[in-house]
Amino acid sequence: MPDIPSEIFSLSPRKLSLVQCGIQQISKRSLQSASVLSELNLAQNNITELTNDAFDHHYRPLLTLNLTANSISVIQSYAFQYLTSLTVLLLSQNKLQTLAGNVFSPLTALKSVNLASNELRVLEEGLFSTNAQITTIQLQNNQINTVDGNVFYSEADSQLPSLEYIILRDNNITEINIPNVRVSNLILSNNRITHIHVSSKVHYLEAENNRISSITFDNVAEAELQQLKLKNNSISSLDVIGQLEKLETLDVSYNSLDPLNVTTFGMLKHLTVLDLAKTNISNLQHGTFGHQEALTWLDLSYNNLDQLDIDMLVSSSRLKSLYLEGNPLTHLEFSQMKTYFPELKDIGIGDNDWSCAYLTKLVAYCNEQSIELYKAASLDVPKNQPHVKGVYCSDDKHLTRNWTTAVQHLYNDTNRSAGDALELLFRNVLADVRRSGSDHSEAINKTLDVVVFNLTKQLFQMQSDLDTLRQAQLETQLTYLSNHTQNSNYSLEELKRVIESTNNLRLDKQELAIKTMEFNFSQQLSKVDEALEMAKKNGAKLTVLEKRIEQLVDSVVKSKDIYSILAAEKQTYQTKDNIGSPNEGNALIGTVLAIVCLMLSLQVFVMYNKHRRSQRIKRSQTSHENTSLTAIVDHQI
């Protein structure tokens, strides 16, 4: 139906719902008999415009008007001039781009207006300044760029409404400057805001996922803010926030905070919820949470805490939830945890550097004390790694097992990039080095050398395979061109490109050969180093042996019982390690000479190869235009 049927009002309905009826307009005559109508629902129709005569004085009793999900793009300035009793106006999901500054002025009884999901860009000055009864303004999911206090407050009218909610999330706002607007709940998430200046009367401020670096109040000493949510912003300093004495909930997670000190939260004695996840914390001091006696929920996950003294939280004896995931923790003094926090219900300990033996004891303690192990959704994906009750750990008896697993993933997992696999590998290596200490450094270095050697060999093999594929492609292109030499239409430019690609391929192969030789040389050099180290040890043993021989000769000269002295010396050396034979010494000298010759040969080969490469490039560039296709193919491939 294009219009509201007037016959329906013969029954004098007080509430009328005509949802999804195809209504295209609201005309003056369509509501002439609706003198007692208090609620009109025209949602999900096809209305495109509200004119000045859409509602006349007959509709004064109307309290609720629902025009959600139409196609309204125009509301004339005096469309609502007779709706003085209207308290709820729903205009969400339309196509409004602008609104006249006085369009809502006649609605003196208006309490709630919903303009969400439109195309509004600018809010005119004084848009809500005369609506003294208004409590809720919903403007989320628009394209608003700026918000000024004059939108809600007009000094000329001296109106300062006490708003309950202003919702402006999901817009393009860069700055909020409304210090004169008394609003209890201000929601600004998902914008591009860099600075906030609000009234001290705000109780709840939500501004997550912005770029906020600073926040100010008209009078911070009298601020009534109780809940502040600033997740994922650019906050570094908590100086202003630390003065909000009535604050009960503080979320500054995913901000890069300056180092915390013992006075950071000193004035926030009413805090019950504190979220410091991923805030770049690397150290906590005793006294940092010394005044948070009301704290029940603390999140320190995904920071850089490699140690945490649990007794630094002893003032927060009411703590019920503690989250420590994603830190490099290896130890946590848990034996007194339930004594310090008798109400503790759940704890998050996943994604740390626990050893399996230690983690087993920690999990057993939590089970005994009925403390639930919290596990974030991001940790639910099973991994090929040891774990205790779903919390991953490192096997103390096989320190390099994680390395081997990472290398196997690098070879077998085609969906994982080489960079990701290498990152995982070296993270595991560093973690194991930190856990094992210097006692295992020799074994760690040897294992790491083997891993790097295998990865390098794989890289060279992949490069060789790639060169083979490129050569096959070039041969196919040359075959195609040779089939067209009988015609004069073949492309000389295409032939030039093929020849250039052939030259590049040849150079790449030579470069790969040189890198391979350098790699083999480095391997031989490491063997030389090992041989020299062995020679050094043998030299030390020879020195000891020389001294022993001198002592033996002196004893022989001074003693008559030569046989007993020799027997004693034989018994002494049977208890010690044997020294390398002369054949081993000769082999060592030969190895050193061979390596030196190899180094000289490699230098000569590199110099000759560079000279030969430059000469071939010059010959190919000067002669390829006058050379037959068959000769070019023979020369290049």
Side-chain angles (χ1 to χ4, degrees), residues 550-576:
E550 291 177 355
Q551 294 174 0
L552 177 61
V553 171
D554 292 340
S555 300
V556 169
V557 172
K558 297 177 180 179
S559 176
K560 296 179 180 180
D561 193 357
I562 298 176
Y563 296 102
S564 62
I565 295 173
L566 292 176
E569 287 298 322
K570 180 179 179 181
Q571 183 66 27
T572 301
Y573 278 96
Q574 284 178 349
T575 61
K576 297 184 179 181

Side-chain angles (χ1 to χ4, degrees), residues 159-302:
Q159 296 290 337
L160 193 62
S162 296
L163 289 163
E164 289 294 327
Y165 290 92
I166 295 180
I167 305 175
L168 286 163
R169 67 171 181 262
D170 299 299
N171 278 280
N172 296 320
I173 304 169
T174 57
E175 186 173 352
I176 292 289
N177 187 18
I178 51 174
N180 296 320
V181 180
R182 295 187 179 184
V183 57
S184 296
N185 300 274
L186 181 59
I187 302 175
L188 305 169
S189 298
N190 305 322
N191 280 279
R192 297 184 293 117
I193 302 170
T194 58
H195 176 72
I196 295 179
H197 187 190
V198 294
S199 167
S200 58
K201 301 299 181 183
V202 177
H203 291 173
Y204 177 91
L205 176 56
E206 179 184 315
E208 299 178 347
N209 304 317
N210 280 280
R211 305 170 186 175
I212 300 168
S213 59
S214 61
I215 177 171
T216 55
F217 298 84
D218 61 332
N219 189 341
V220 68
E222 298 180 0
E224 299 178 7
L225 193 63
Q226 297 175 0
Q227 299 186 58
L228 177 58
K229 297 185 178 181
L230 295 172
K231 179 180 179 180
N232 193 23
N233 277 280
S234 301
I235 299 292
S236 59
S237 173
L238 298 179
D239 291 345
V240 175
I241 295 174
Q243 301 178 48
L244 304 174
E245 297 185 19
K246 295 185 178 180
L247 206 58
E248 297 176 0
T249 298
L250 175 60
D251 183 354
V252 287
S253 59
Y254 292 81
N255 286 273
S256 184
L257 299 180
D258 294 337
L260 304 179
N261 54 56
V262 294
T263 62
T264 300
F265 306 111
M267 298 176 66
L268 308 182
K269 299 179 181 180
H270 300 286
L271 271 182
T272 58
V273 174
L274 178 57
D275 195 338
L276 295 171
K278 205 167 185 178
T279 50
N280 204 33
I281 299 174
S282 59
N283 184 40
L284 290 174
Q285 304 177 53
H286 281 269
T288 301
F289 306 109
H291 299 279
Q292 279 63 61
E293 298 180 4
L295 197 64
T296 61
W297 196 95
L298 176 62
D299 192 343
L300 294 169
S301 59
Y302 295 96

